[in-house]
Amino acid sequence: MRKFIYIFIVLLLSGCHDDYWELGDSYVYNNGCIYYVIDTCHRDGVRYEGLEELVPFDVHNFGYNEHYIIAYQKPDSAYYIDFNQTIPDSTTCFQEKADSLETLLGKMLSIQNCYWIIRKKDKRVFGPMSESDFNRRCKRMGISISWVREMK
């Protein structure tokens, strides 16, 4: 139950985007994040999804094919500060998640323009990384994917 409460809070906090894209193989871009769909159900005509966050808020662009997802993110520290203040429970599980997010945020903010690669077959996430590291890794992995939106 706590897991679904956490997912609900994440979706509420990321409500300033209004995009939803299915990226294939149970991956979705939803409201500025990239998720893996764990479970989907329908109640009263509404679709509910159990989501595992793979690339946190604030994803500005992404691309995908049958094997990989790429993402560009410009992290917003205000979002993460708000999120940490709204964690409803001080249990070890939530504290570990908050500590993990804080460590990740520090890395993301030091890079500022973050790039990510997700290998679909095993949900392996590479990132955050700088643009030059991203380009090198794409070349090494043989990834050639176009961005969904025009990069500015």
Side-chain angles (χ1 to χ4, degrees):
M1 182 65 178
R2 286 183 183 167
K3 186 176 191 176
F4 290 107
I5 291 171
Y6 168 74
I7 291 169
F8 179 72
I9 290 170
V10 168
L11 290 175
L12 280 178
L13 291 174
S14 59
C16 62
H17 291 270
D18 59 2
D19 289 329
Y20 180 91
W21 289 65
E22 292 189 7
L23 307 176
D25 299 321
S26 298
Y27 293 89
V28 297
Y29 168 85
N30 188 17
N31 294 322
C33 299
I34 295 180
Y35 298 99
Y36 181 76
V37 179
I38 299 166
D39 187 29
T40 302
C41 65
H42 292 81
R43 282 187 299 231
D44 301 323
V46 178
R47 178 181 170 143
Y48 296 93
E49 295 178 327
L51 303 172
E52 177 184 350
E53 184 180 85
L54 299 177
V55 180
F57 192 77
D58 192 17
V59 174
H60 289 271
N61 205 352
F62 58 91
Y64 60 99
N65 65 18
E66 64 275 7
H67 302 291
Y68 295 98
I69 299 168
I70 58 172
Y72 166 72
Q73 170 198 57
K74 189 153 181 74
D76 180 357
S77 62
Y79 166 79
Y80 292 96
I81 291 166
D82 289 344
F83 173 77
N84 282 335
Q85 291 173 353
T86 60
I87 292 179
D89 196 330
S90 61
T91 63
T92 303
C93 176
F94 282 106
Q95 189 58 51
E96 287 174 2
K97 183 67 175 174
D99 291 346
S100 175
L101 274 175
E102 190 173 336
T103 301
L104 182 62
L105 175 62
K107 185 173 183 181
M108 291 177 347
L109 290 176
S110 71
I111 297 171
Q112 294 188 356
N113 292 302
C114 301
Y115 292 82
W116 303 75
I117 298 170
I118 300 168
R119 187 170 53 204
K120 288 181 172 181
K121 71 178 180 184
D122 58 3
K123 288 193 323 188
R124 176 100 189 262
V125 178
F126 302 90
M129 62 187 109
S130 67
E131 183 176 15
S132 59
D133 290 339
F134 170 77
N135 289 333
R136 275 194 295 277
R137 186 169 295 265
C138 283
K139 186 174 181 179
R140 189 168 61 240
M141 296 172 75
I143 299 171
S144 178
I145 300 174
S146 298
W147 297 102
V148 169
R149 297 180 177 108
E150 184 179 324
M151 293 290 276
K152 298 175 183 174

